Amino acid sequence: VVVDATAASDNSTWQRTLPSLDEQFFPATKVWLLPTAEDNLASIGPLPSHVEVISATQRLADGAFMETMLSSSTEWLVIVRPGTVFAKHSLFWFMAEGLINRQRKLIYSDHDYLDADGQRTGPLFKPDWSPELMRSTHYIGDTLAVHRDLLTQCVGLGPASDKPINVHDLLFRLSEQLTAQAIHH
């Protein structure tokens, strides 16, 4: 799981995502936190061994993060934003869908929002893959599962980048390489 910040977030945003990842039925084997230069995750406290913070400075300085991520032993990477709270079965369903049909290379899902009391509200039911709709709006959102092999072929994901992953731009580039059957809602 790659938790990639597009803008500085307070630590409570990061702290909403991490417990929901720890509570998954199908746990993440590796979690990379990619904060912005303005984020300070030191006050979050000790992180489990499978969670690694890669600062913007580190990503730019050593240039090895993207290569490490793409050469990891996992087949799938789930890209999310800080503040995302996963239902306990989320990662299970992403991975199950990827295993059911090996043609699938990009998977996205519906989502909802949490109100101040933690209750689900404002469900967003997305349509199946539509390249025309994607060109006009970012309807898929910022959470998606991508097969690692597909990312290795994606031009523009440089090894030394301190910029957050622009999911909409990534979708444009990935969709050019895929058939409609490889993209699953």
Side-chain angles (χ1 to χ4, degrees):
V1 176
V2 179
V3 186
D4 191 19
T6 57
S9 305
D10 61 37
N11 286 345
S12 65
T13 303
W14 294 90
Q15 289 172 327
R16 283 195 304 268
T17 301
L18 292 172
S20 75
L21 288 171
D22 288 341
E23 297 169 358
Q24 291 297 298
F25 293 140
F26 184 86
T29 56
K30 185 71 177 172
V31 177
W32 289 289
L33 306 181
L34 309 179
T36 67
E38 294 81 29
D39 286 323
N40 178 6
L41 301 185
S43 65
I44 288 180
L47 297 171
S49 61
H50 69 283
V51 177
E52 184 177 355
V53 177
I54 309 292
S55 71
T57 307
Q58 284 176 294
R59 291 194 308 271
L60 192 58
D62 67 20
F65 170 69
M66 190 62 73
E67 188 175 310
T68 300
M69 184 177 69
L70 296 178
S71 66
S72 70
S73 61
T74 185
E75 279 188 67
W76 288 87
L77 294 167
V78 178
I79 300 169
V80 301
R81 297 290 178 232
T84 300
V85 178
F86 287 97
K88 291 183 181 186
H89 59 275
S90 299
L91 294 182
F92 169 81
W93 282 113
F94 273 125
M95 295 310 102
E97 290 298 325
L99 292 171
I100 288 170
N101 184 335
R102 297 304 230 163
Q103 281 186 300
R104 294 179 179 148
K105 300 295 179 187
L106 190 148
I107 302 170
Y108 65 98
S109 66
D110 299 334
H111 74 268
D112 49 21
Y113 298 92
L114 298 178
D115 65 16
D117 297 324
Q119 299 299 310
R120 295 183 186 281
T121 183
L124 184 57
F125 301 110
K126 302 170 186 174
D128 284 342
W129 172 246
S130 169
E132 294 80 15
L133 185 58
M134 193 213 34
R135 287 183 191 106
S136 63
T137 184
H138 184 40
Y139 79 96
I140 289 180
D142 288 329
T143 301
L144 60 121
V146 181
H147 197 277
R148 179 180 41 88
D149 292 343
L150 184 60
L151 283 176
T152 61
Q153 302 164 15
C154 190
V155 176
L157 283 178
S161 177
D162 65 341
K163 303 284 189 256
I165 297 170
N166 181 322
V167 174
H168 198 210
D169 178 58
L170 180 63
L171 284 167
F172 275 112
R173 290 186 277 145
L174 294 176
S175 66
E176 291 172 356
Q177 303 174 45
L178 298 173
T179 64
Q181 294 76 23
I183 303 172
H184 186 66
H185 167 227

